[in-house]
């Protein structure tokens, strides 16, 4: 996740880095989906509504290498707009427009 300045300040001096619902929202949350229907349901359905209600500006869902895709969800008027990127596609982020990454680059980290 990427914290806003306000969220970082809310954690200053804390003994643990736990994000609570009363704190300012994160700017970006990235989820890596593990194989399996329960994991997909959680990351594509339940977390989407949870993150929208928290006001998280952008939420990325990184698929396991078999699907090799990355979904960028951007919060607009309380609901996420979805854009799916694959392979050599450049990832477009409203929150971080200066990023210069492709899906392939993200998926190859650690290989």
């Amino acid at each position: 996740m990427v914290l806003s300045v306000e969220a970082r300040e809310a954690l200053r001096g804390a003994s643990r880095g736990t994000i609570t619902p009363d704190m300012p929202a994160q700017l970006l949350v990235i989820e890596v989906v593990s194989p399996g229907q329960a994991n997909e349901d959680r990351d594509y359905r339940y977390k989407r509504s949870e993150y929208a209600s928290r006001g998280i500006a952008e939420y990325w869902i990184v698929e396991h290498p078999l699907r090799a895709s990355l979904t960028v969800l951007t919060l607009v008027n309380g609901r996420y707009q979805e854009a799916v990127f694959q392979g050599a596609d450049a990832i477009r982020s409203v929150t971080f427009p200066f990023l210069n990454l492709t899906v392939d680059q993200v998926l190859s980290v650690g290989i």
Side-chain angles (χ1 to χ4, degrees):
M1 85 177 72
V2 177
L3 298 178
S4 64
V5 171
E6 296 82 9
R8 185 191 64 186
E9 289 300 315
L11 285 172
R12 188 178 303 281
S15 60
R16 296 178 61 194
T18 303
I19 305 296
T20 60
D22 61 318
M23 297 172 83
Q26 301 88 331
L27 293 176
L28 170 67
V29 172
I30 300 172
E31 296 282 354
V32 178
V33 180
S34 298
Q37 191 61 50
N39 295 321
E40 290 183 20
D41 287 347
R42 181 183 60 242
D43 289 334
Y44 280 100
R45 294 176 55 202
Y46 305 121
K47 286 187 179 178
R48 184 183 298 215
S49 59
E50 178 184 332
Y51 292 164
S53 69
R54 284 273 297 127
I56 295 170
E58 200 165 286
Y59 167 37
W60 292 12
I61 302 172
V62 180
E63 279 288 349
H64 48 86
L66 294 177
R67 288 195 186 159
S69 69
L70 189 147
T71 303
V72 174
L73 297 122
T74 305
L75 193 62
V76 177
N77 297 323
R79 297 189 65 160
Y80 283 115
Q81 291 184 347
E82 180 178 305
V84 178
F85 303 96
Q86 295 180 319
D89 291 344
I91 300 166
R92 291 188 312 274
S93 167
V94 173
T95 306
F96 301 98
F98 52 84
L99 283 181
N100 187 20
L101 288 172
T102 67
V103 175
D104 287 339
Q105 288 172 313
V106 170
L107 293 175
S108 69
V109 172
I111 294 178

